[in-house]
Amino acid sequence: MHLKKIIAILLDHFPNCSSPRKKIVSGFGVGFVSFFIFLFILFSNSSFKNLDSDKLFIQGFNVSNNNTSCTTSTTYYSSSKSAAVLLENSTQLQQNNSSCSNLDIKFGTHGKGLSSDVKNGSFDEISAKVIDFKDTHMRDLKNETFGVIIMNPKGEGANGEEIGNGSLISDGLDQGHGEMSQKLRNVSSSFEECDIFDGRWVKDDTKPYYPAGSCPFVDKDVNCHLNRRPDDEFVKWRWQPFGCEIPSMNATDFLERLRGKRMVFVGDSLNRNMWESLVCILRHSLKNKKRVYEISGRGDFKKRGIYAFRFEASLDYNCTVDFVSSPFLVRESSFKGENSSFETLRLDLMDRTTSMYQDADILIFNTGHWWTHEKTSRGENYYQEGNRVYPRLKALDAYTRALSTWAKWVDKNIDNQKTQVIFRGYSLTHFRGGQWNSGGQCHTETEPIFNTSQLTSYPSKMRAFDNVLRVIKTPVIYLNISRLTDYRKDGHPSIYRTKYKTLLLKQQTSAEHAQDCSHWCLPGVPDTWNELLYASLLKVGRGSWKR
């Protein structure tokens, strides 16, 4: 039916429309009705397919074609967990001198692909332009919030890379040292919502938290400045999570939240490394540094026992930061055999030091490095449970049993309403050409690892801890520092474990065969562990750590 005939019929049924008095109104009405009839005729020749409930529906998705920004408006997605799109409202991403057409991201859901072009009104496949992060190194985007988008039926990225917890990862550190692998995940502006242990090291000239050589409580073996290490760039690095910014360590705030409380580090010499770092950071914030002292007056902290630093100062914090030496957490013992007694490690009993710390307000545990020594790694007639000494037991199996004993003790003896339990993960070593007792070296390293392909895999000890963490009932904060330490081959004392008046060839040769590539110079990497400790306590927000 033609449009003119329709109008003629309408005029016959509405004769008043032709009166001069109502010409304007009637003309508008006819035009309005005609417009809708036109739409009806037009759409009668097309068909719409209803979108399934589990397909993505994107409203107002727009990608600008200019060279400075990508803009998205409101995006909706289905309630199905398989849908992997989240674009924040009116989010704008900036990249200096870069075009947003650099990178294509495919959208999809499990089971049903999305194909076609948004312009044509079909949602079978969507291809959107987002910023290429290869050259931005993430810190340029710290004030922006945006989401990304990848999921296919295999749970992999566009290049077959495994997608984690939905956060954005850029390896960042490659900086021309090989092609950077890129994983895309959601980026959040709040450190409470991201994995603060997943990131990279960035240069920061404001570090360290305390001047090198200024803290008298640093063990001489890790006081690289005092021992005349010639370079100091290793202290000028900051840990930058991929998905957020973490707060800088506010030592005054830390002490205020610790007022009247007791924090205890329990573990091996690497936890002593961390303990000394925290004492130095907190001490540096005080004007009257004489009000910080070790209660027993000792200055050598390498012997077995308990060491406690009290912070009084003019504000009367009345708090202590202690260290209890317990390298295995479980008990070192002996077994009387037929011919003689020999040393054993009781995997089923906690160390006798537990009475020294179980009433603390914050406990930071670690164990790991002593499990690599000859006796523990060999595992022959050494590990004991009850009256049984295993003729042979793998170190990892023994480590898992020891952690299970620790977890049972924590559940039975720790009041989780009073005490926050923390476990610090395994700190990676960087011996090259041998181990700690066979000529391993790291003294020529002056910068972190940049090529992520050189990093090691997640330590098997920490996989064992992950399994224990699933069954322990007490809430535990896991300081997962393994990967961030893996980058830092430059941060060890190496040959600078002692002060050399003159480094003669003979002395140098001797030093190079007895290097320390497991502990860390102070100031240095453990300062970052304490920065992450501070952020983690704020993140959990229990008791005095509520924000």
Side-chain angles (χ1 to χ4, degrees):
M1 184 180 292
H2 295 293
L3 187 60
K4 290 183 179 180
K5 291 183 179 180
I6 294 174
I7 295 173
I9 294 171
L10 288 173
L11 291 176
D12 289 339
H13 284 79
F14 301 95
N16 288 335
C17 290
S18 61
S19 64
R21 192 175 179 181
K22 298 181 179 180
K23 275 185 178 180
I24 296 176
V25 176
S26 62
F28 176 79
V30 170
F32 190 79
V33 172
S34 301
F35 175 75
F36 275 94
I37 293 173
F38 173 76
L39 288 179
F40 175 80
I41 294 172
L42 176 64
F43 278 80
S44 66
N45 295 322
S46 303
S47 61
F48 279 104
K49 296 178 181 179
N50 292 329
L51 295 173
D52 294 337
S53 60
D54 61 347
K55 285 189 178 181
L56 295 178
F57 180 71
I58 298 183
Q59 178 183 0
F61 185 83
N62 176 47
V63 181
S64 63
N65 293 322
N66 60 45
N67 293 329
T68 57
S69 66
C70 292
T71 306
T72 67
S73 55
T74 308
T75 299
Y76 299 89
Y77 61 102
S78 75
S79 60
S80 170
K81 292 183 179 179
S82 63
V85 169
L86 179 57
L87 295 172
E88 298 295 333
N89 293 347
S90 302
T91 299
Q92 188 169 9
L93 310 183
Q94 299 280 342
Q95 181 188 23
N96 294 334
N97 301 320
S98 299
S99 172
C100 290
S101 61
N102 291 338
L103 182 64
D104 285 345
I105 302 285
K106 299 278 186 179
F107 294 78
T109 62
H110 287 287
K112 294 187 179 182
L114 297 170
S115 60
S116 122
D117 195 292
V118 177
K119 291 184 196 176
N120 299 328
S122 174
F123 293 85
D124 293 324
E125 181 179 358
I126 300 171
S127 181
K129 307 290 185 180
V130 297
I131 198 166
D132 185 351
F133 294 101
K134 189 169 184 179
D135 298 316
T136 57
H137 301 304
M138 289 307 299
R139 64 187 298 192
D140 297 329
L141 302 171
K142 62 185 179 182
N143 296 321
E144 303 295 342
T145 301
F146 56 99
V148 210
I149 323 151
I150 285 192
M151 189 71 72
N152 63 24
K154 295 182 180 179
E156 297 173 344
N159 296 320
E161 297 155 344
E162 186 177 346
I163 301 302
N165 299 324
S167 57
L168 182 132
I169 289 188
S170 168
D171 282 332
L173 275 174
D174 291 84
Q175 295 178 355
H177 296 260
E179 185 174 350
M180 178 185 68
S181 64
Q182 183 172 306
K183 299 179 183 178
L184 296 176
R185 302 177 181 172
N186 286 339
V187 172
S188 169
S189 60
S190 171
F191 75 94
E192 295 176 344
E193 301 171 4
C194 81
D195 182 358
I196 61 176
F197 302 100
D198 188 12
R200 66 187 182 91
W201 292 93
V202 296
K203 252 326 192 37
D204 189 342
D205 290 332
T206 67
K207 301 297 182 185
Y209 281 108
Y210 50 99
S214 67
C215 184
F217 306 126
V218 173
D219 187 276
K220 64 180 181 180
D221 287 357
V222 296
N223 196 332
C224 299
H225 175 80
L226 181 66
N227 296 333
R228 298 179 180 176
R229 176 171 169 170
D231 62 307
D232 63 356
E233 291 300 304
F234 66 93
V235 303
K236 299 177 181 179
W237 293 91
R238 172 175 57 85
W239 181 248
Q240 174 62 63
F242 287 125
C244 58
E245 293 287 327
I246 56 173
S248 293
M249 177 70 148
N250 186 328
T252 302
D253 181 63
F254 197 110
L255 284 169
E256 188 62 46
R257 294 176 187 276
L258 206 59
R259 180 185 295 275
K261 294 181 171 55
R262 183 177 178 227
M263 171 181 279
V264 183
F265 290 81
V266 184
D268 58 26
S269 55
L270 271 297
N271 241 20
R272 187 179 71 232
N273 215 178
M274 183 179 181
W275 167 68
E276 291 178 0
S277 162
L278 181 61
V279 169
C280 291
I281 292 172
L282 299 180
R283 174 185 177 274
H284 186 65
S285 69
L286 302 176
K287 292 182 178 179
N288 187 356
K289 293 176 174 52
K290 293 182 180 180
R291 302 297 296 273
V292 181
Y293 56 90
E294 203 283 318
I295 293 175
S296 65
R298 290 173 292 180
D300 182 4
F301 311 125
K302 297 181 71 173
K303 296 179 180 179
R304 292 290 185 94
I306 178 172
Y307 302 90
F309 273 98
R310 181 173 297 280
F311 288 81
E312 291 183 347
S314 58
L315 297 176
D316 192 24
Y317 289 116
N318 193 30
C319 61
T320 61
V321 181
D322 305 353
F323 171 69
V324 175
S325 177
S326 181
F328 295 106
L329 298 183
V330 291
R331 185 174 302 178
E332 294 177 82
S333 184
S334 63
F335 186 83
K336 188 174 182 180
E338 294 181 359
N339 300 321
S340 62
S341 296
F342 53 90
E343 293 181 346
T344 62
L345 187 64
R346 290 291 301 266
L347 303 176
D348 56 340
L349 294 176
M350 286 291 285
D351 189 27
R352 290 185 176 89
T353 58
T354 55
S355 61
M356 299 179 182
Y357 58 77
Q358 71 180 64
D359 62 343
D361 298 282
I362 300 174
L363 285 170
I364 301 108
F365 293 95
N366 99 294
T367 184
H369 281 272
W370 281 48
W371 296 85
T372 63
H373 292 184
E374 184 178 359
K375 190 179 294 184
T376 50
S377 60
R378 189 171 66 246
E380 296 177 356
N381 297 314
Y382 181 59
Y383 296 118
Q384 178 183 355
E385 287 183 314
N387 291 322
R388 180 187 180 187
V389 177
Y390 292 95
R392 187 172 182 82
L393 187 66
K394 291 182 178 179
L396 184 59
D397 189 0
Y399 182 80
T400 304
R401 293 170 189 241
L403 285 181
S404 297
T405 298
W406 167 80
K408 291 174 184 176
W409 179 87
V410 168
D411 282 340
K412 184 178 179 180
N413 295 277
I414 296 298
D415 178 5
N416 61 30
Q417 298 300 314
K418 175 183 185 295
T419 302
Q420 175 64 66
V421 177
I422 299 166
F423 192 95
R424 180 185 57 75
Y426 188 71
S427 171
L428 273 294
T429 62
H430 296 93
F431 293 98
R432 300 291 182 263
Q435 290 301 313
W436 64 276
N437 59 349
S438 58
Q441 299 182 352
C442 58
H443 66 292
T444 59
E445 306 293 352
T446 57
E447 61 182 12
I449 291 174
F450 293 124
N451 189 343
T452 55
S453 65
Q454 297 176 7
L455 299 177
T456 61
S457 58
Y458 188 57
S460 57
K461 292 184 181 67
M462 293 301 93
R463 294 188 187 279
F465 176 74
D466 287 341
N467 292 331
V468 172
L469 199 58
R470 292 187 182 99
V471 297
I472 192 171
K473 298 175 183 177
T474 304
V476 174
I477 296 175
Y478 176 25
L479 297 181
N480 186 7
I481 52 87
S482 297
R483 186 172 178 86
L484 70 89
T485 59
D486 199 4
Y487 283 107
R488 296 305 307 275
K489 59 185 174 65
D490 60 321
H492 302 289
S494 62
I495 63 175
Y496 301 102
R497 300 172 59 189
T498 185
K499 187 175 182 179
Y500 300 98
K501 293 182 179 179
T502 58
L503 197 59
L504 301 175
L505 181 60
K506 184 178 180 180
Q507 289 179 311
Q508 182 175 347
T509 302
S510 175
E512 288 178 3
H513 281 82
Q515 297 191 25
D516 184 352
C517 304
S518 56
H519 296 91
W520 303 92
C521 294
L522 289 181
V525 171
D527 301 335
T528 296
W529 301 352
N530 285 307
E531 188 175 54
L532 292 167
L533 168 66
Y534 177 66
S536 296
L537 288 168
L538 290 173
K539 191 173 183 177
V540 172
R542 294 182 59 191
S544 62
W545 292 90
K546 290 180 180 178
R547 298 181 70 194

